[in-house]
Amino acid sequence: MKNPILFYFDFSSPYGYLASLRIDAIASQHGREVAWKPILLGAIFKASGNATLVQQPLKGKYSIHDFARSARWLKAPYQMPSAFPIATQNAARAFYWLNDSDPALAKALAQRLFAVYFAEGRDITSPETVIAEAKALGVDPDKLAAALADQAIKDRLRAEVEKALELGVCGSPYTIVDGEPFWGADRLDQVDAWLKTGGW
Amino acid sequence: MKNPILFYFDFSSPYGYLASLRIDAIASQHGREVAWKPILLGAIFKASGNATLVQQPLKGKYSIHDFARSARWLKAPYQMPSAFPIATQNAARAFYWLNDSDPALAKALAQRLFAVYFAEGRDITSPETVIAEAKALGVDPDKLAAALADQAIKDRLRAEVEKALELGVCGSPYTIVDGEPFWGADRLDQVDAWLKTGGW
């Protein structure tokens, strides 16, 4: 059994959302699993000296246009959230907590949170929102609330971000296939080809 | 006759080079012409607050890897030039000077300069190199040397860069199809589809 494909993203990343709609289908065509790895782009940008795209002159206006056009290109439901970008610690921590006991359910929660934010345009910053969405999927809300308040899950997310930086993750999405890194939703066709051919 | 597709690039941009190998073939499939528009990324970066990719932490190492992998993906001859990035004023000025009298020859010179830099790995900064390559294509070297020393062509390039900034050009390559902007070599499939469908 090969190692899973690592799929790094921030829940506040439009391109991360768009890639999340395709990555598992691409992997499964080649008999591979995907380990989803939510991270915090703020920490990545601090290391790389970058800022959020939409806050940059010139690139900001283009990016907002490209997010929506790329979504239409993929026929993906999308709207630019009014709150953007947002802090995604609670979403990421809930994911990792759930992932330790039920990876499939954790992925379902991640997909749901992406949909709430980018398809419905609702803010997913607060623990209350994350807990409500998890509860709708059958997660015990009191246990999740307790987990989110625990230092252990904060340390866990910090460790995941540190690991991402060690691996060279410089943006979202960032997909690693057997050590080979692909940055961007627009590299998924190459990810597909890499899985098919073993590289070029 | 529709307006030409605008193809903005810097001669020092690997993704600009890779896109230059495809853009005319894509356009001609839809009966369209391409106006090549060399610019200076330094001026664009000054406006957008960015730096050259390879000089950025994390992104630098990834980018150098991705340049070469993207070239192999496209089966394009490529090597990372030892001098990188370089000042491309002379290349761009020679292009615009030649373009006024012979657009086809100007494009041939641009293609040749890209090949010298990214396929052969030789620096194209100096006026001597640009003039020698132009001469090999049949351009009068004395006339080009005089043109490159003239204030008029310096003003012309500055005006082209200003125009690019007005149009929102935020990187290289940056392709504009009937007002619709596409940033990146990895948007050429969308450019192709946009030309085919008229947009989505």
Side-chain angles (χ1 to χ4, degrees), chain A residues 123-170:
Chain A
D123 192 349
I124 57 167
T125 303
S126 75
E128 290 75 19
T129 301
V130 171
I131 291 167
E133 294 299 335
K135 185 183 174 190
L137 293 173
V139 176
D140 184 316
D142 296 330
K143 283 186 182 171
L144 176 52
L148 290 179
D150 193 353
Q151 186 60 39
I153 200 65
K154 297 176 185 178
D155 293 343
R156 170 68 182 281
L157 176 56
R158 186 173 296 115
E160 293 284 356
V161 172
E162 286 298 320
K163 178 68 180 174
L165 285 168
E166 279 171 31
L167 290 173
V169 173
C170 61

Side-chain angles (χ1 to χ4, degrees), chain A residues 47-48 50 56-59 62 65-66 69 72-73 169-170 174 180-183 186-187 190 193 200, chain B residues 47-48 50 56-59 62 65-66 69 72-73 165 169-170 174 180-183 186-187 190 193 200:
Chain A
S48 67
N50 285 118
Q56 296 181 32
L58 292 177
K59 289 188 179 178
Y62 174 84
H65 184 75
D66 189 64
R69 185 180 59 197
R72 296 194 306 273
W73 169 252
V169 173
C170 61
Y174 195 96
E180 185 72 15
F182 296 89
W183 171 31
D186 37 29
R187 285 292 177 281
Q190 289 192 23
W200 59 85
Chain B
S48 68
N50 286 117
Q56 297 180 35
L58 292 178
K59 289 187 178 178
Y62 175 85
H65 183 74
D66 189 65
R69 185 180 58 197
R72 296 195 306 273
W73 170 251
L165 285 168
V169 173
C170 60
Y174 195 96
E180 186 73 15
F182 297 88
W183 170 32
D186 38 29
R187 284 293 177 281
Q190 289 193 24
W200 59 86

Side-chain angles (χ1 to χ4, degrees), chain B residues 11 13 16 19 54 66 98-99 109 115 121 128 139 141 150-151 161 171 183 185 187 189 192 197:
Chain B
F11 280 108
S13 161
V54 299
D66 189 65
L98 199 54
N99 194 55
L109 175 62
E128 290 75 18
V139 176
D150 193 353
Q151 186 62 38
V161 173
W183 170 32
R187 284 293 177 281
D189 290 343
D192 190 20
T197 65

